[in-house]
Amino acid sequence: MAIANKGFRGRRTESARQLPPGQHLTTDFPVLQAGPTPHIDLDDWRFTIRDERGHQHVWTWAQLKLLPSDRLTVDIHCVTTWSKLDTKWEGVSLDTLFESVETTAEFALIGSYGGYTTNIPVVDLLGGKAWIVYGYQGEPLSPVHGGPARLLVPHLYFWKSAKWVRSIELRNSDTPGFWEGLGYHSYGDPWREQRYAGD
Amino acid sequence: MDDGSTSKLHWRVARVVDSEPETDSAQTIGLAVPGWRGHLAGQHIDLKLTAEDGYSAQRSYSLSRPADGERIELTVQQIADGEVSPYLTGVRPGEEIELRGPIGGWFVWRPAEEARILLVAGGSGIVPLMAMLRERVVLGGAEFRLVYSVRSPADVYYARELGQLERDCDWLRVAVVCTRAATPQTARPPGRIGASDLAVPGWTPDDAPRVYVCGPTGFVESVTTKLIGQGHRPSAIRTERFGPSG
Amino acid sequence: MTEPTHVDGNAAAGAFADVLGFDVTTATLTCAGCGRAVAFAESHVYHRAPGIVVRCPGCEHVLARLVQTPTDVRLDLRGAQSWRIPLPAR
């Protein structure tokens, strides 16, 4: 039983562009987090791709910043129903990082500083669909929004765009991540409204 | 009297009865909750607002008064650009709001406990502590000292009532600490609450008071660290942290 | 100094009580990470998230999680070795 509070809108505005089902447009940038904000020294920062045989490819911050980067403008959709349009990011495409990785694995488990995890099929990380981003709106990505670097996978719900990203583990079987293991959808396509397991 | 520790807590519909300004930016809202079975001072409710398109938001609010039949009261701070407070501070009598409660058995004061109580409030953290003081007026019990941190005197909730209680009762002293303005009537310059503000004669660790600290997380943790540094036992300190409200 | 981003167990109490039917704020959890005895009310709670995450104030180990879907509440209580719940006085 939910009553409607007439006149209550929250911090939402009307959207001229169509949003995925059940989403609402926001003009601010809500900060959601499952744990304390990590503060990572750039000298200590590492990003690792570990393939299904256990071989590791590791990048330092300096190495990451030397790689060719993209500037991109995308819409983002959070499972808690807010959407934000035309967000501007700068970072390295996963296609660039995967150039040196040999794999036939189908599944990936993303890991973050602080312990957060999320699972994404490898095909959804490649082909111009995913980035490690370190810039937001022309500035270095702030810690509360996932800085120094986060994963960006805009075609899936934003819980998959892991903040404070540190690793991708390639696997032959799918392992649910932090939210996927507690009732959220394993894939998470906002346009098919795949919020919860079984949707 | 039901204190929430044994009954199932589900969403129920309450009706706004009245709404009065508490300060220039805070509103005290009275609600009638059919079937309300009472609550303890310090407890809170969760409140849920639902837009006509189904979007909903939840916030927790402490009860500002002790149990009084089906009537409960909240004091809501208006946060510019907040998600919930702009709506709540504008509600009118007759409107309905979903809530659940009463919630919490930890941050509560039961009059039979402890002889000396030290209350430390940061901003809207005064709300549950005011319920404790109002309970004390009715039921008797302990002696209280309140240290109440606000930005400026205009932000003090329940100012007249606190002043009256202090004048009329020998069991309460109130020290208002202003962080951004000089505190009137005292020589204290503006500044965050410090160890000397917390060292209340007669309410020192040697006097073994029970302490309640309520306010934003940063305030609560800073104050608690200072209290423990002064020698108060951690087990004597009860805390309630508010998030950034809105 | 950056503002802390957590609240405490009092803020999660309503959601847990709604599904479990008892007041969790007075429960004492033994952290499976560091062994510390934590009053639920004093735990660090992150609730601006797709679910509620309850963490040990000492080591930030996840003590409990709660997710509400349209049809269910999902609970993960693995992060505490045990819960000690005082019985109400009768």
Side-chain angles (χ1 to χ4, degrees):
Chain A
M1 162 200 56
I3 61 173
N5 298 103
K6 279 202 177 64
F8 171 64
R9 288 200 53 78
R11 283 193 213 88
R12 303 174 302 143
T13 60
E14 295 298 329
S15 178
R17 216 146 76 216
Q18 192 184 11
L19 299 176
Q23 294 296 105
H24 310 280
L25 185 66
T26 190
T27 49
D28 62 354
F29 194 171
V31 173
L32 278 70
Q33 57 198 100
T37 306
H39 292 279
I40 305 133
D41 197 304
L42 293 180
D43 289 338
D44 300 328
W45 185 94
R46 297 288 183 273
F47 176 71
T48 302
I49 298 179
R50 182 179 304 111
D51 70 27
E52 63 273 32
R53 291 177 305 274
H55 300 146
Q56 298 197 139
H57 307 261
V58 186
W59 289 263
T60 64
W61 184 257
Q63 289 169 332
L64 182 79
K65 294 305 288 293
L66 283 176
L67 293 172
S69 65
D70 298 336
R71 286 177 190 269
L72 53 153
T73 300
V74 296
D75 302 336
I76 58 181
H77 309 292
C78 180
V79 74
T80 62
T81 75
W82 60 265
S83 287
K84 192 167 173 63
L85 305 181
D86 301 323
T87 58
K88 294 174 168 28
W89 306 85
E90 182 184 354
V92 178
S93 168
L94 283 197
D95 295 305
T96 303
L97 293 162
F98 270 78
E99 272 170 18
S100 54
V101 175
E102 275 186 34
T103 181
T104 55
E106 287 178 48
F107 305 102
L109 184 66
I110 318 299
S112 295
Y113 286 99
Y116 181 77
T117 55
T118 187
N119 56 310
I120 303 176
V122 172
V123 297
D124 289 275
L125 294 175
L126 302 174
K129 298 200 215 68
W131 294 260
I132 303 295
V133 289
Y134 44 71
Y136 174 68
Q137 307 289 93
E139 299 288 329
L141 184 62
S142 62
V144 288
H145 284 302
R150 76 181 295 165
L151 181 66
L152 180 67
V153 191
H155 71 285
L156 300 175
Y157 280 119
F158 214 47
W159 92 73
K160 301 274 184 182
S161 290
K163 297 202 228 188
W164 315 300
V165 69
R166 75 189 299 183
S167 63
I168 297 180
E169 274 185 35
L170 299 168
R171 299 172 165 214
N172 291 317
S173 61
D174 201 8
T175 306
F178 189 86
W179 292 122
E180 295 87 356
L182 201 62
Y184 280 94
H185 199 275
S186 189
Y187 185 65
D189 177 358
W191 293 97
R192 286 181 282 167
E193 204 166 8
Q194 295 175 336
R195 299 181 199 270
Y196 305 105
D199 280 350
Chain B
M1 179 175 71
D2 188 323
D3 63 5
S5 64
T6 51
S7 66
K8 276 196 180 286
L9 269 187
H10 299 309
W11 295 104
R12 61 217 282 194
V13 179
R15 197 181 68 255
V16 177
V17 174
D18 44 59
S19 180
E20 299 293 330
E22 190 59 60
T23 66
D24 286 344
S25 57
Q27 198 79 2
T28 287
I29 301 166
L31 298 148
V33 192
W36 190 256
R37 281 147 68 189
H39 58 270
L40 295 172
Q43 288 188 308
H44 66 272
I45 52 133
D46 290 340
L47 200 145
K48 176 163 65 174
L49 296 180
T50 307
E52 285 168 304
D53 62 3
Y55 175 83
S56 75
Q58 292 180 26
R59 294 291 186 275
S60 297
Y61 290 98
S62 291
L63 300 166
S64 61
R65 285 198 181 276
D68 178 16
E70 294 190 340
R71 180 187 170 80
I72 63 171
E73 232 179 60
L74 322 169
T75 301
V76 177
Q77 179 68 35
Q78 166 102 330
I79 308 289
D81 207 36
E83 182 168 46
V84 161
S85 64
Y87 177 83
L88 279 184
T89 51
V91 291
R92 291 201 289 269
E95 292 179 31
E96 291 186 324
I97 302 182
E98 279 186 284
L99 55 82
R100 71 182 165 199
I103 301 164
W106 176 261
F107 194 79
V108 293
W109 176 63
R110 297 178 174 86
E113 301 168 346
E114 310 303 337
R116 291 193 180 196
I117 311 288
L118 176 61
L119 305 177
V120 186
S124 55
I126 185 64
V127 177
L129 307 184
M130 196 64 193
M132 295 178 187
L133 292 176
R134 287 165 163 164
E135 180 88 284
R136 168 46 173 105
V137 169
V138 174
L139 294 182
E143 310 227 339
F144 284 79
R145 290 294 179 266
L146 167 64
V147 181
Y148 182 6
S149 173
V150 288
R151 288 196 178 128
S152 69
D155 298 308
V156 173
Y157 293 179
Y158 324 119
R160 183 173 304 172
E161 189 174 337
L162 285 171
Q164 187 147 19
L165 280 177
E166 234 195 330
R167 281 192 301 278
D168 296 350
C169 305
D170 59 3
W171 51 262
L172 175 65
R173 287 285 169 273
V174 181
V176 171
V177 166
C178 291
T179 60
R180 296 199 191 162
T183 308
Q185 289 134 24
T186 76
R188 189 190 185 280
R192 291 182 183 277
I193 207 167
S196 55
D197 300 304
L198 297 169
V200 178
W203 271 252
T204 68
D206 290 339
D207 305 297
R210 161 79 69 87
V211 188
Y212 295 90
V213 187
C214 185
T217 296
F219 173 87
V220 168
E221 296 192 345
S222 161
V223 166
T224 302
T225 301
K226 292 185 168 73
L227 289 168
I228 292 172
Q230 290 177 340
H232 290 274
R233 282 171 302 118
S235 60
I237 304 173
R238 297 272 165 118
T239 57
E240 182 157 89
R241 293 158 183 74
F242 291 171
S245 38
Chain C
M1 183 195 80
T2 44
E3 276 303 308
T5 48
H6 61 274
V7 286
D8 61 31
N10 293 295
F16 276 79
D18 200 333
V19 65
L20 293 177
F22 66 90
D23 171 37
V24 299
T25 56
T26 55
T28 304
L29 280 55
T30 301
C31 176
C34 68
R36 179 166 156 155
V38 178
F40 187 97
E42 303 277 344
S43 61
H44 287 185
V45 165
Y46 296 85
H47 63 161
R48 301 283 173 114
I52 300 173
V53 183
V54 180
R55 290 180 179 265
C56 173
C59 72
E60 296 290 344
H61 182 80
V62 175
L63 295 170
R65 297 184 294 159
L66 185 154
V67 165
Q68 170 123 37
T69 76
T71 52
D72 302 282
V73 171
R74 302 246 195 160
L75 284 177
D76 168 20
L77 305 177
R78 296 169 299 165
Q81 285 172 352
S82 66
W83 286 53
R84 179 177 143 202
I85 298 137
L87 293 173
R90 295 194 197 268

